[in-house]
Amino acid sequence: MNFTFNAYYTLIAAVIVLLIGKFLVNRIEFLRKYNIPEPVAGGLVAATISTLVYNFWGHSITTSSELQTSFMLIFFISIGLSANFAKLKEGGKSLFIFLLVVSGFIIIQNFVGISLATALGIEPLIGLIAGSITLTGGHGTAGAWGSILETKYGIEGAMGLGMAAATFGLVMGGIIGGPLAKFLINRHKLASEKSRKQDDSKDEKVIDEFVPFEYPQEVRLITTNSAISTLALFAACLAFSDFMTNFAKGSTFELPTFVWALAGGVILRNVLENILKIEIFDRAIDVFGNASLSLYLAMALLSLKLWQLSNLAGALTVILVSQVLIMILYAYFVTFRTMGKNYDASVLAAGHCGFGLGATPTAVANMQAITNMYGSSHKAFLIVPLCGAFFVDLINATVIQTVLKFFE
C-alpha cells in the first residue's frame, strides 16, 4: 500500500527529518568530522526505516513533488544570485585556469563512469549518475537530474542512486582532501607550520570582504526588509525559469528548469547590482538557499526507496571507488601542477577534492584544515568558493546536457 503525503504533511515530515539529522550530527563524531549534512543524516535514517516498513509490511510513502521541486529551484536560484561578475576580476588568470582544470575533470569523471558501467553490463546512464551528476554536482544536482533521468530516460531508482552516490562522494571528498594537501606540502617542502604562520602578518593587507569562508566570524544581519526583498528576487527568478522552460520546450535551447533558475539568478543579480546599483543582501540569499536545500534533501531522501537499488549495489561501488582514485590522481598530477606547484596550489588541490567528489562546504572544510596548520591562502579561498558554488554547476550542466543528447 502506498501513502501519498500532500504539501503540508510533506513539509512536516521534512522538518522532522531535519531535526533527527541535527540530533545525530550533534551526537555522532563521525558525522561531524566529515561534514555530513543534517538532512542527509536524517534522511538516510528515514529511508532505512521506510525500507524496513516496506519489506515487513509492504507500505511505502510518496511525498509532494511540487513542493520538493520548488525548494530545489530556490536553492539553484540562490547560487545564481550569489554570482557577482564585477568581483570575478579578483580571481584573474588563476580563476580561469582553475575552471579549465575543473572542466577537464568533469569530462574525465563522466567518461570513467559511463565506461565502467558499460563494462560491468549495466545501463550506461547509471555511470553518468555515478559521475559528475552526483560527485561534482552534489546532492542538489543529483536530485535535480535524478528526477529527469527517471521520467525522461526511464532509469528506475535514479534519485536513490544519486543520493547514495552523492553521500559517498561527500564523505570521501572530506577524507582525501586534507591528507593529499599535506602530502604535497611535505613532499615538495612548500611550507612548515611555523614559517607559514609567521608570514601571515605580511598578508593582512590583502584581506578583503570577498573571502568570507576564510574569516567566518564576519557575518551580516538579516532584517525584515532584506528578507522581503530577497523573497521578491526568488519569486522573479521562479517566474523567469517557468517562462523560459515553456518557451524553449522542443527547441535547441531546451534546458531543465533548474538551469534556467540558476541563469535567472545570475542575470538578475548582475543587472541589479552592476547596472542599476541596487544592493543585494548576500546573507539573506545564503540563508534562504541553504534552508531550501536542506528541506529539499530531506524530502528527496524521505521518499527514497532503497529496495530499488539492491541489484546495483556492487557495480555502483566499483564505479565510485574508481572515481575516488581518479580524483586523487587528477588532483596530484593535474590540479596541483597546473596551478603552480606551490602552497596555494596544494590548498586548491584539497579544495578540488572536496567539491570534485562532494560539495563546496566540504571543499572549504578541507582548505580550512590545511590553512589552520600552515597559514592562510587568500587565493584559494577566493577561487574555490566562486568555482565550486557557481561556475562548476553551469559547466557541469552543460557537459551533462551534451552527454545526454547521445542517449536520446
Side-chain angles (χ1 to χ4, degrees), residues 33-35 168-179 353-354 357-358 362-363 365-366:
K33 183 177 181 180
Y34 295 114
N35 304 292
F168 176 87
L170 195 70
V171 174
M172 295 308 300
I175 291 175
I176 69 173
C353 288
L357 289 178
T362 308
N366 285 349

Side-chain angles (χ1 to χ4, degrees), residues 69 72-73 148 238 241-242 245-246 255-262:
T69 300
M72 177 194 71
L73 293 178
I148 293 172
L238 286 171
S241 63
D242 182 66
T245 299
N246 294 325
L255 294 169
T257 304
F258 78 90
V259 178
W260 288 119
L262 176 62

Side-chain angles (χ1 to χ4, degrees), residues 6-259:
N6 62 24
Y8 300 123
Y9 291 115
T10 297
L11 184 59
I12 293 170
V15 171
I16 293 173
V17 166
L18 290 176
L19 292 174
I20 293 173
K22 183 178 178 64
F23 173 81
L24 293 174
V25 170
N26 288 337
R27 294 298 183 92
I28 301 175
E29 174 65 22
F30 175 83
L31 299 179
R32 291 196 305 273
K33 183 177 181 180
Y34 295 114
N35 304 292
I36 304 300
E38 294 171 2
V40 175
L44 290 176
V45 171
T48 302
I49 293 174
S50 66
T51 300
L52 293 174
V53 171
Y54 177 82
N55 288 335
F56 285 102
W57 295 285
H59 299 310
S60 62
I61 63 170
T62 301
T63 57
S64 170
S65 58
E66 291 185 5
L67 188 63
Q68 183 175 318
T69 300
S70 297
F71 282 120
M72 177 194 71
L73 293 178
I74 292 173
F75 163 66
F76 279 101
I77 290 169
S78 71
I79 295 176
L81 288 173
S82 299
N84 185 348
F85 287 153
K87 295 179 179 178
L88 300 185
K89 61 182 180 181
E90 297 179 39
K93 181 180 177 181
S94 296
L95 174 60
F96 178 74
I97 295 173
F98 191 65
L99 286 172
L100 292 178
V101 170
V102 170
S103 300
F105 181 69
I106 290 174
I107 295 172
I108 291 174
Q109 202 169 52
N110 288 325
F111 175 79
V112 170
I114 294 174
S115 298
L116 286 176
T118 303
L120 292 169
I122 61 177
E123 170 62 47
L125 284 179
I126 292 177
L128 188 62
I129 295 173
S132 71
I133 285 181
T134 61
L135 300 180
T136 295
H139 288 86
T141 306
W145 284 104
S147 60
I148 293 172
L149 290 171
E150 285 180 347
T151 57
K152 187 174 181 179
Y153 295 90
I155 307 298
E156 184 179 0
M159 180 77 75
L161 285 171
M163 292 301 165
T167 301
F168 176 87
L170 195 70
V171 174
M172 295 308 300
I175 291 175
I176 69 173
L180 175 65
K182 290 180 182 179
F183 176 79
L184 289 169
I185 292 169
N186 293 333
R187 180 181 177 85
H188 296 277
K189 297 181 173 60
L190 301 175
S192 65
E193 182 177 353
K194 182 177 179 180
S195 66
R196 284 298 299 188
K197 286 189 175 180
Q198 287 175 339
D199 288 341
D200 276 353
S201 59
K202 302 177 183 178
D203 293 334
E204 290 299 319
K205 60 182 179 181
V206 302
I207 297 172
D208 61 43
E209 62 177 6
F210 202 51
V211 284
F213 293 111
E214 194 168 14
Y215 303 98
Q217 70 274 14
E218 298 294 332
V219 297
R220 293 173 63 180
L221 299 177
I222 300 175
T223 64
T224 301
N225 287 335
S226 65
I228 294 174
S229 299
T230 303
L231 283 174
L233 296 180
F234 281 111
C237 292
L238 286 171
F240 173 80
S241 63
D242 182 66
F243 172 80
M244 289 304 301
T245 299
N246 294 325
F247 179 78
K249 192 171 184 178
S251 70
T252 308
F253 301 100
E254 182 176 1
L255 294 169
T257 304
F258 78 90
V259 178

Side-chain angles (χ1 to χ4, degrees), residues 66 164 188 277 338 352 400:
E66 291 185 5
H188 296 277
K277 306 301 180 183
T338 304
H352 192 190
I400 294 169

